Coordinates of all heavy atoms in Angstrom, one line a residue:
M26 N 4.4 -20.8 -10.7 CA 4.5 -19.4 -11.2 C 3.7 -18.5 -10.4 O 2.5 -18.7 -10.0 CB 4.0 -19.4 -12.7 CG 4.1 -18.1 -13.3 SD 3.9 -18.3 -15.1 CE 2.8 -17.0 -15.4
T27 N 4.3 -17.3 -10.0 CA 3.6 -16.4 -9.2 C 3.0 -15.3 -10.1 O 3.7 -14.8 -11.0 CB 4.6 -15.7 -8.2 OG1 5.2 -16.8 -7.4 CG2 3.9 -14.8 -7.3
T28 N 1.8 -14.9 -9.8 CA 1.1 -13.8 -10.5 C 1.1 -12.6 -9.6 O 0.7 -12.6 -8.4 CB -0.3 -14.1 -10.8 OG1 -0.3 -15.3 -11.6 CG2 -1.0 -13.0 -11.6
D29 N 1.6 -11.4 -10.1 CA 1.6 -10.2 -9.3 C 0.2 -9.6 -9.2 O -0.5 -9.7 -10.2 CB 2.5 -9.2 -10.0 CG 4.0 -9.5 -9.9 OD1 4.4 -10.3 -9.0 OD2 4.8 -8.9 -10.7
I30 N -0.1 -9.1 -8.0 CA -1.4 -8.4 -7.8 C -1.0 -7.0 -7.8 O -0.2 -6.5 -6.9 CB -2.0 -8.9 -6.5 CG1 -2.1 -10.4 -6.4 CG2 -3.4 -8.2 -6.3 CD1 -2.8 -11.1 -7.5
V31 N -1.6 -6.2 -8.7 CA -1.2 -4.8 -8.9 C -2.3 -3.9 -8.4 O -3.4 -4.0 -8.8 CB -0.9 -4.5 -10.3 CG1 -0.5 -3.0 -10.5 CG2 0.3 -5.4 -10.8
V32 N -1.9 -3.0 -7.5 CA -2.9 -1.9 -7.0 C -2.4 -0.6 -7.5 O -1.3 -0.1 -7.1 CB -2.9 -1.9 -5.5 CG1 -3.8 -0.9 -4.9 CG2 -3.4 -3.3 -4.9
D33 N -3.2 0.0 -8.4 CA -2.8 1.3 -8.9 C -3.5 2.4 -8.1 O -4.7 2.4 -7.8 CB -3.3 1.5 -10.4 CG -2.5 0.6 -11.3 OD1 -1.2 0.6 -11.2 OD2 -3.1 0.0 -12.2
L34 N -2.7 3.4 -7.7 CA -3.2 4.5 -6.9 C -2.8 5.8 -7.6 O -1.7 6.1 -7.9 CB -2.5 4.5 -5.5 CG -2.7 3.3 -4.7 CD1 -1.8 3.4 -3.4 CD2 -4.2 3.1 -4.3
S35 N -3.9 6.6 -7.9 CA -3.7 7.9 -8.5 C -3.7 8.9 -7.3 O -4.7 9.1 -6.7 CB -4.8 8.2 -9.5 OG -4.6 9.5 -10.0
L36 N -2.6 9.6 -7.1 CA -2.5 10.5 -6.0 C -2.6 11.9 -6.4 O -1.9 12.3 -7.3 CB -1.2 10.2 -5.2 CG -0.9 8.8 -4.8 CD1 0.5 8.6 -4.3 CD2 -2.0 8.3 -3.9
K37 N -3.5 12.7 -5.8 CA -3.9 14.0 -6.3 C -3.0 15.1 -5.7 O -2.8 16.1 -6.3 CB -5.3 14.3 -6.0 CG -6.3 13.3 -6.4 CD -6.6 13.5 -7.9 CE -7.7 12.5 -8.3 NZ -7.3 11.5 -9.3
T38 N -2.4 14.9 -4.5 CA -1.7 15.9 -3.8 C -0.4 15.4 -3.3 O -0.2 14.2 -3.1 CB -2.5 16.5 -2.6 OG1 -2.7 15.5 -1.7 CG2 -3.9 17.0 -3.1
A39 N 0.5 16.3 -2.9 CA 1.8 15.9 -2.3 C 1.5 15.3 -0.9 O 2.2 14.4 -0.5 CB 2.7 17.1 -2.1
E40 N 0.4 15.7 -0.3 CA 0.1 15.1 1.0 C -0.3 13.7 0.9 O 0.0 12.8 1.7 CB -1.1 15.9 1.6 CG -0.7 17.3 2.1 CD -0.7 18.3 1.0 OE1 -1.2 18.1 -0.1 OE2 -0.1 19.4 1.2
E41 N -1.0 13.3 -0.2 CA -1.4 11.9 -0.5 C -0.1 11.1 -0.7 O 0.0 9.9 -0.3 CB -2.4 11.8 -1.6 CG -3.8 12.1 -1.2 CD -4.8 11.9 -2.3 OE1 -4.4 11.7 -3.5 OE2 -6.0 11.8 -2.0
V42 N 0.9 11.6 -1.5 CA 2.1 10.9 -1.7 C 2.8 10.6 -0.4 O 3.3 9.5 -0.2 CB 3.0 11.7 -2.7 CG1 4.4 11.1 -2.8 CG2 2.3 11.9 -4.1
A43 N 2.9 11.6 0.4 CA 3.5 11.5 1.8 C 2.8 10.5 2.6 O 3.4 9.6 3.3 CB 3.7 12.8 2.5
L44 N 1.4 10.6 2.6 CA 0.6 9.6 3.3 C 0.8 8.2 2.9 O 0.9 7.3 3.7 CB -0.9 10.0 3.2 CG -1.9 9.1 3.9 CD1 -1.6 9.2 5.5 CD2 -3.3 9.5 3.6
L45 N 1.0 8.0 1.6 CA 1.2 6.6 1.1 C 2.4 6.0 1.7 O 2.5 4.9 2.1 CB 1.2 6.6 -0.4 CG 1.5 5.2 -1.0 CD1 0.4 4.2 -0.6 CD2 1.6 5.2 -2.5
A46 N 3.5 6.8 1.8 CA 4.8 6.3 2.3 C 4.6 5.9 3.8 O 5.0 4.8 4.2 CB 5.9 7.3 2.2
T47 N 3.9 6.7 4.5 CA 3.6 6.4 6.0 C 2.7 5.2 6.1 O 2.9 4.4 6.9 CB 2.9 7.7 6.6 OG1 3.8 8.8 6.5 CG2 2.6 7.4 8.1
V48 N 1.7 5.1 5.3 CA 0.7 4.0 5.4 C 1.4 2.7 5.0 O 1.1 1.7 5.6 CB -0.5 4.3 4.5 CG1 -1.4 3.1 4.3 CG2 -1.3 5.5 5.1
A49 N 2.2 2.7 3.9 CA 2.9 1.5 3.5 C 3.8 1.0 4.6 O 3.8 -0.2 4.9 CB 3.7 1.7 2.3
D50 N 4.5 1.9 5.3 CA 5.4 1.5 6.4 C 4.5 0.9 7.6 O 4.9 -0.1 8.1 CB 6.2 2.6 6.9 CG 7.3 3.0 5.9 OD1 7.7 2.2 5.1 OD2 7.9 4.1 6.1
A51 N 3.5 1.6 7.9 CA 2.6 1.2 9.0 C 1.9 -0.2 8.7 O 1.8 -1.0 9.6 CB 1.5 2.2 9.3
F52 N 1.6 -0.4 7.5 CA 0.9 -1.6 7.0 C 1.9 -2.8 7.3 O 1.5 -3.8 7.9 CB 0.5 -1.5 5.6 CG -0.1 -2.8 5.0 CD1 -1.4 -3.1 5.3 CD2 0.6 -3.6 4.1 CE1 -2.0 -4.3 4.8 CE2 0.0 -4.7 3.6 CZ -1.3 -5.1 4.0
V53 N 3.1 -2.7 6.8 CA 4.1 -3.8 7.0 C 4.4 -3.9 8.5 O 4.5 -5.1 9.0 CB 5.3 -3.5 6.2 CG1 6.4 -4.5 6.5 CG2 5.0 -3.6 4.7
Q54 N 4.6 -2.8 9.2 CA 5.0 -2.9 10.6 C 4.0 -3.6 11.4 O 4.3 -4.3 12.3 CB 5.2 -1.5 11.1 CG 5.9 -1.4 12.4 CD 7.3 -2.0 12.4 OE1 8.0 -1.9 11.5 NE2 7.6 -2.7 13.5
Q55 N 2.7 -3.4 11.2 CA 1.7 -4.0 12.0 C 1.7 -5.5 11.9 O 1.5 -6.2 12.9 CB 0.3 -3.5 11.7 CG -0.3 -4.1 10.4 CD -1.8 -3.6 10.2 OE1 -2.4 -3.0 11.1 NE2 -2.3 -3.9 9.0
F56 N 2.1 -6.1 10.8 CA 2.2 -7.5 10.6 C 3.5 -8.0 11.2 O 3.5 -9.1 11.8 CB 2.0 -7.9 9.2 CG 0.7 -7.7 8.7 CD1 0.4 -6.6 7.9 CD2 -0.4 -8.5 9.1 CE1 -0.9 -6.4 7.4 CE2 -1.7 -8.2 8.6 CZ -1.9 -7.2 7.8
L57 N 4.6 -7.3 11.1 CA 5.8 -7.7 11.7 C 5.7 -7.7 13.2 O 6.3 -8.5 13.9 CB 7.0 -6.8 11.2 CG 7.3 -6.9 9.8 CD1 8.4 -5.9 9.4 CD2 7.7 -8.3 9.4
C58 N 5.0 -6.8 13.8 CA 4.8 -6.7 15.3 C 4.0 -7.9 15.8 O 4.3 -8.4 16.8 CB 4.2 -5.4 15.7 SG 5.3 -4.0 15.6
R59 N 3.1 -8.3 15.0 CA 2.2 -9.5 15.4 C 3.0 -10.8 15.2 O 2.7 -11.7 16.0 CB 1.0 -9.5 14.5 CG 0.0 -8.5 14.7 CD -1.2 -8.7 13.9 NE -2.0 -7.5 13.8 CZ -3.0 -7.2 13.0 NH1 -3.2 -8.1 12.0 NH2 -3.7 -6.1 13.0
N60 N 3.9 -10.9 14.3 CA 4.5 -12.1 14.0 C 6.0 -11.9 13.9 O 6.5 -11.6 12.8 CB 4.0 -12.7 12.7 CG 4.6 -14.1 12.4 OD1 5.5 -14.6 13.1 ND2 4.2 -14.7 11.3
R61 N 6.7 -11.9 15.0 CA 8.2 -11.6 15.0 C 9.0 -12.5 14.1 O 10.0 -12.1 13.6 CB 8.7 -11.7 16.4 CG 8.0 -10.7 17.3 CD 9.0 -9.8 18.0 NE 8.4 -8.8 18.8 CZ 8.6 -7.6 18.6 NH1 9.3 -7.1 17.7 NH2 8.0 -6.7 19.4
A62 N 8.6 -13.7 13.8 CA 9.3 -14.5 12.9 C 9.2 -14.1 11.5 O 10.0 -14.5 10.6 CB 8.8 -16.0 13.1
G63 N 8.2 -13.2 11.2 CA 8.1 -12.7 9.8 C 7.6 -13.7 8.8 O 7.7 -13.5 7.6
K64 N 7.0 -14.8 9.3 CA 6.6 -15.8 8.4 C 5.3 -15.4 7.6 O 5.0 -15.9 6.6 CB 6.4 -17.1 9.1 CG 7.7 -17.7 9.5 CD 7.5 -19.0 10.2 CE 8.9 -19.5 10.7 NZ 8.8 -20.7 11.5
D65 N 4.5 -14.5 8.2 CA 3.3 -14.1 7.6 C 3.3 -12.6 7.5 O 2.5 -11.9 8.1 CB 2.1 -14.6 8.4 CG 0.8 -14.5 7.6 OD1 0.8 -14.5 6.4 OD2 -0.3 -14.3 8.3
A66 N 4.2 -12.1 6.6 CA 4.3 -10.7 6.4 C 4.1 -10.4 4.9 O 4.5 -11.3 4.1 CB 5.6 -10.1 6.9
P67 N 3.6 -9.3 4.5 CA 3.4 -9.0 3.1 C 4.7 -8.8 2.3 O 5.6 -8.1 2.8 CB 2.6 -7.8 3.1 CG 2.8 -7.1 4.3 CD 3.1 -8.2 5.3
D68 N 4.8 -9.3 1.1 CA 5.9 -9.0 0.2 C 5.2 -7.9 -0.7 O 4.2 -8.2 -1.4 CB 6.3 -10.2 -0.7 CG 7.1 -11.2 0.1 OD1 7.9 -10.8 1.0 OD2 6.8 -12.4 -0.1
M69 N 5.8 -6.7 -0.8 CA 5.2 -5.7 -1.6 C 6.3 -4.8 -2.1 O 7.4 -4.7 -1.6 CB 4.2 -4.9 -0.8 CG 4.8 -4.2 0.4 SD 3.5 -3.4 1.5 CE 3.1 -1.9 0.6
M70 N 6.0 -4.2 -3.3 CA 6.9 -3.3 -4.0 C 6.1 -2.1 -4.4 O 5.0 -2.2 -4.9 CB 7.6 -4.0 -5.2 CG 8.5 -3.1 -6.0 SD 9.4 -3.9 -7.3 CE 8.1 -4.7 -8.2
V71 N 6.7 -0.9 -4.3 CA 6.0 0.3 -4.7 C 6.8 0.9 -5.8 O 8.0 1.1 -5.7 CB 5.9 1.3 -3.5 CG1 5.2 2.6 -4.0 CG2 5.2 0.7 -2.3
R72 N 6.1 1.2 -6.9 CA 6.7 1.9 -8.1 C 6.0 3.2 -8.3 O 4.8 3.4 -8.1 CB 6.5 1.0 -9.3 CG 7.2 -0.4 -9.2 CD 7.0 -1.2 -10.3 NE 7.7 -0.7 -11.5 CZ 7.6 -1.1 -12.7 NH1 6.8 -2.2 -13.0 NH2 8.3 -0.6 -13.7
T73 N 6.8 4.2 -8.8 CA 6.3 5.5 -9.0 C 6.3 5.8 -10.5 O 7.3 5.5 -11.2 CB 7.2 6.6 -8.3 OG1 7.2 6.2 -6.9 CG2 6.6 8.0 -8.5
A74 N 5.3 6.5 -11.0 CA 5.2 6.9 -12.4 C 4.7 8.3 -12.4 O 3.9 8.7 -11.5 CB 4.4 6.0 -13.2
F75 N 5.1 9.1 -13.4 CA 4.6 10.5 -13.6 C 3.9 10.6 -14.9 O 4.4 10.2 -15.9 CB 5.7 11.5 -13.5 CG 6.4 11.5 -12.2 CD1 7.6 10.7 -12.0 CD2 6.0 12.2 -11.1 CE1 8.2 10.7 -10.7 CE2 6.6 12.2 -9.9 CZ 7.7 11.4 -9.7
G76 N 2.6 11.1 -14.8 CA 1.8 11.3 -16.1 C 2.3 12.5 -16.8 O 3.1 13.3 -16.3
T77 N 1.9 12.6 -18.0 CA 2.2 13.8 -18.9 C 1.8 15.1 -18.3 O 2.4 16.1 -18.5 CB 1.7 13.6 -20.3 OG1 0.3 13.5 -20.2 CG2 2.3 12.5 -21.0
D78 N 0.7 15.0 -17.5 CA 0.2 16.2 -16.8 C 0.8 16.5 -15.4 O 0.4 17.4 -14.7 CB -1.3 16.1 -16.6 CG -1.7 14.9 -15.8 OD1 -0.9 14.1 -15.4 OD2 -2.9 14.8 -15.6
G79 N 1.9 15.7 -15.1 CA 2.6 15.9 -13.9 C 2.0 15.1 -12.7 O 2.5 15.1 -11.6
E80 N 0.9 14.4 -12.9 CA 0.2 13.7 -11.9 C 1.1 12.5 -11.5 O 1.6 11.8 -12.3 CB -1.1 13.2 -12.3 CG -1.9 12.4 -11.3 CD -3.3 12.1 -11.7 OE1 -4.1 13.0 -12.0 OE2 -3.6 10.8 -11.8
V81 N 1.2 12.3 -10.2 CA 2.0 11.1 -9.7 C 1.1 9.9 -9.5 O 0.0 10.1 -9.0 CB 2.6 11.5 -8.3 CG1 3.3 10.3 -7.7 CG2 3.5 12.7 -8.4
S82 N 1.5 8.8 -10.0 CA 0.8 7.6 -9.7 C 1.7 6.6 -9.1 O 2.9 6.5 -9.4 CB 0.1 7.0 -11.0 OG 1.1 6.6 -11.9
K83 N 1.2 5.8 -8.2 CA 1.9 4.8 -7.5 C 1.3 3.5 -7.8 O 0.1 3.3 -7.9 CB 2.0 5.0 -6.0 CG 2.6 6.3 -5.6 CD 4.1 6.2 -5.5 CE 4.7 7.4 -4.9 NZ 6.1 7.3 -4.7
T84 N 2.1 2.5 -8.0 CA 1.6 1.1 -8.2 C 2.2 0.3 -7.0 O 3.4 0.3 -6.8 CB 2.1 0.5 -9.5 OG1 1.6 1.4 -10.6 CG2 1.6 -0.9 -9.7
V85 N 1.4 -0.4 -6.3 CA 1.8 -1.2 -5.2 C 1.6 -2.7 -5.7 O 0.5 -3.0 -6.1 CB 1.1 -0.9 -3.9 CG1 1.6 -1.7 -2.7 CG2 1.1 0.5 -3.6
I86 N 2.7 -3.5 -5.7 CA 2.6 -4.8 -6.2 C 2.8 -5.8 -5.1 O 3.7 -5.7 -4.3 CB 3.7 -5.0 -7.3 CG1 3.6 -3.9 -8.4 CG2 3.7 -6.4 -7.9 CD1 4.8 -3.7 -9.2
F87 N 1.9 -6.8 -5.1 CA 1.9 -7.9 -4.1 C 2.0 -9.2 -4.7 O 1.7 -9.4 -5.9 CB 0.6 -7.8 -3.3 CG 0.4 -6.6 -2.5 CD1 -0.2 -5.5 -3.0 CD2 0.9 -6.5 -1.2 CE1 -0.4 -4.3 -2.3 CE2 0.7 -5.4 -0.4 CZ 0.1 -4.3 -1.0
Q88 N 2.5 -10.2 -4.0 CA 2.6 -11.6 -4.5 C 1.3 -12.4 -4.1 O 1.2 -13.5 -4.5 CB 3.8 -12.2 -3.9 CG 5.1 -11.6 -4.3 CD 5.3 -11.7 -5.8 OE1 5.3 -12.8 -6.4 NE2 5.5 -10.6 -6.5
D89 N 0.5 -11.8 -3.2 CA -0.6 -12.6 -2.7 C -1.8 -11.6 -2.6 O -1.7 -10.5 -2.1 CB -0.3 -13.1 -1.3 CG -1.3 -14.0 -0.7 OD1 -2.5 -13.8 -0.9 OD2 -0.8 -15.0 0.0
R90 N -3.0 -12.1 -3.1 CA -4.2 -11.3 -3.1 C -4.6 -10.9 -1.7 O -5.1 -9.8 -1.6 CB -5.3 -12.0 -3.8 CG -6.6 -11.2 -3.8 CD -7.6 -11.5 -4.9 NE -7.1 -11.4 -6.2 CZ -7.0 -10.2 -6.9 NH1 -7.3 -9.1 -6.2 NH2 -6.6 -10.2 -8.1
K91 N -4.5 -11.7 -0.7 CA -4.9 -11.4 0.6 C -4.2 -10.1 1.1 O -4.8 -9.3 1.8 CB -4.8 -12.5 1.6 CG -3.4 -12.7 2.2 CD -3.4 -13.8 3.3 CE -2.0 -13.9 3.8 NZ -1.9 -14.7 5.0
W92 N -2.9 -10.0 0.8 CA -2.2 -8.8 1.2 C -2.6 -7.6 0.4 O -2.7 -6.5 0.9 CB -0.7 -9.0 1.1 CG -0.2 -10.0 2.0 CD1 0.4 -11.2 1.7 CD2 -0.3 -10.0 3.5 NE1 0.7 -11.9 2.9 CE2 0.3 -11.2 4.0 CE3 -0.8 -9.1 4.4 CZ2 0.4 -11.5 5.3 CZ3 -0.7 -9.4 5.7 CH2 -0.1 -10.6 6.2
A93 N -2.9 -7.7 -0.9 CA -3.4 -6.6 -1.7 C -4.7 -6.1 -1.2 O -4.9 -4.9 -1.0 CB -3.5 -7.1 -3.2
D94 N -5.6 -7.1 -0.9 CA -6.9 -6.7 -0.4 C -6.8 -6.0 1.0 O -7.5 -5.0 1.2 CB -7.8 -7.9 -0.3 CG -8.2 -8.5 -1.6 OD1 -8.1 -7.8 -2.7 OD2 -8.7 -9.6 -1.7
A95 N -6.0 -6.5 1.8 CA -5.8 -5.9 3.2 C -5.2 -4.5 3.0 O -5.6 -3.6 3.8 CB -4.9 -6.8 4.0
F96 N -4.2 -4.4 2.1 CA -3.6 -3.1 1.9 C -4.6 -2.0 1.4 O -4.7 -0.9 1.9 CB -2.4 -3.1 1.0 CG -1.8 -1.8 0.8 CD1 -1.0 -1.2 1.7 CD2 -2.1 -1.0 -0.4 CE1 -0.5 0.1 1.6 CE2 -1.6 0.3 -0.6 CZ -0.8 0.8 0.4
V97 N -5.4 -2.4 0.5 CA -6.4 -1.5 -0.1 C -7.4 -1.0 1.0 O -7.7 0.2 1.2 CB -7.2 -2.1 -1.3 CG1 -8.4 -1.3 -1.6 CG2 -6.3 -2.3 -2.5
D98 N -7.8 -2.0 1.9 CA -8.7 -1.6 3.0 C -8.0 -0.7 4.0 O -8.5 0.3 4.4 CB -9.2 -2.9 3.8 CG -10.1 -3.7 3.0 OD1 -10.7 -3.2 2.0 OD2 -10.3 -4.9 3.3
F99 N -6.7 -1.0 4.3 CA -5.9 -0.2 5.2 C -5.7 1.2 4.6 O -5.9 2.2 5.3 CB -4.6 -0.9 5.5 CG -3.8 -0.3 6.6 CD1 -4.2 -0.5 7.9 CD2 -2.6 0.4 6.3 CE1 -3.4 0.0 8.9 CE2 -1.9 0.9 7.4 CZ -2.3 0.7 8.7
W100 N -5.3 1.3 3.3 CA -5.1 2.6 2.7 C -6.4 3.4 2.7 O -6.3 4.6 3.0 CB -4.6 2.3 1.2 CG -4.7 3.5 0.4 CD1 -5.5 3.8 -0.7 CD2 -3.9 4.7 0.5 NE1 -5.3 5.0 -1.3 CE2 -4.3 5.6 -0.6 CE3 -2.9 5.1 1.3 CZ2 -3.7 6.9 -0.8 CZ3 -2.3 6.4 1.1 CH2 -2.7 7.2 0.1
E101 N -7.5 2.9 2.3 CA -8.8 3.6 2.3 C -9.1 4.1 3.7 O -9.6 5.3 3.8 CB -9.9 2.8 1.7 CG -9.7 2.5 0.2 CD -9.7 3.8 -0.7 OE1 -10.4 4.8 -0.3 OE2 -9.0 3.8 -1.7
N102 N -8.9 3.3 4.7 CA -9.2 3.7 6.1 C -8.3 4.8 6.5 O -8.8 5.8 7.1 CB -9.0 2.5 7.0 CG -9.4 2.8 8.4 OD1 -8.8 3.6 9.0 ND2 -10.4 2.1 8.9
Q103 N -7.0 4.7 6.3 CA -6.1 5.7 6.7 C -6.3 7.0 5.9 O -6.2 8.1 6.5 CB -4.6 5.3 6.5 CG -4.3 4.1 7.3 CD -4.3 4.4 8.8 OE1 -3.8 5.4 9.3 NE2 -5.0 3.5 9.6
K104 N -6.6 6.9 4.6 CA -6.8 8.1 3.8 C -8.1 8.8 4.3 O -8.1 10.1 4.4 CB -7.0 7.7 2.4 CG -7.1 8.8 1.4 CD -7.0 8.2 0.0 CE -7.7 9.1 -1.0 NZ -7.8 8.5 -2.3
S105 N -9.1 8.1 4.6 CA -10.4 8.7 5.2 C -10.1 9.4 6.5 O -10.6 10.5 6.7 CB -11.4 7.7 5.4 OG -11.9 7.1 4.1
Q106 N -9.3 8.8 7.4 CA -9.0 9.4 8.7 C -8.2 10.6 8.5 O -8.4 11.6 9.2 CB -8.3 8.4 9.5 CG -9.1 7.3 10.1 CD -8.3 6.3 11.0 OE1 -7.2 6.6 11.4 NE2 -8.9 5.2 11.2
S107 N -7.3 10.6 7.5 CA -6.4 11.8 7.3 C -7.3 12.9 6.8 O -7.0 14.1 7.1 CB -5.4 11.4 6.2 OG -4.6 12.5 5.9
Q108 N -8.2 12.7 5.9 CA -9.1 13.7 5.3 C -10.0 14.3 6.4 O -10.4 15.5 6.3 CB -9.9 13.2 4.1 CG -9.0 12.9 2.9 CD -9.7 12.1 1.8 OE1 -10.8 11.6 2.0 NE2 -9.1 12.0 0.7
A109 N -10.4 13.5 7.3 CA -11.3 13.9 8.4 C -10.6 14.8 9.4 O -11.3 15.6 10.1 CB -12.0 12.7 9.1
A110 N -9.3 14.6 9.5 CA -8.5 15.4 10.5 C -8.4 16.8 10.2 O -8.5 17.3 9.2 CB -7.2 14.7 10.8

């Protein structure tokens, strides 16, 4: 039985929503480039929800904790770099 690892992201701006799409693609792409056979690539799913106040929240779901942890680190790094620019 597989347990889903859920990463909830509360996104404050349209820029963060757009950044998440870019970061998710870059995250997967970096592993596919390293391993062309695709045997060690993350399985992930992104779900979108809207709060009653109109706030967008995204849930990123993984099948393996190592990928969830790696994604959170990657997301935080990319978000920090984006804010610094």
Side-chain angles (χ1 to χ4, degrees):
M26 183 166 135
T27 303
T28 302
D29 290 340
I30 310 303
V31 177
V32 177
D33 288 316
L34 302 171
S35 179
L36 306 174
K37 307 280 187 247
T38 65
E40 290 79 17
E41 283 186 342
V42 173
L44 179 63
L45 177 61
T47 301
V48 169
D50 287 344
F52 178 74
V53 172
Q54 191 64 36
Q55 77 175 352
F56 293 104
L57 293 177
C58 287
R59 289 182 195 164
N60 184 357
R61 296 236 179 240
K64 294 181 182 176
D65 194 28
D68 290 321
M69 61 188 282
M70 177 174 54
V71 179
R72 297 178 70 188
T73 303
F75 297 93
T77 55
D78 59 357
E80 184 176 294
V81 176
S82 66
K83 297 279 187 172
T84 301
V85 186
I86 303 165
F87 295 88
Q88 298 295 308
D89 188 322
R90 175 154 304 279
K91 79 173 184 174
W92 294 119
D94 292 343
F96 178 78
V97 169
D98 290 344
F99 191 73
W100 166 248
E101 292 298 328
N102 183 299
Q103 296 298 310
K104 189 171 149 183
S105 293
Q106 288 181 14
S107 173
Q108 291 170 349

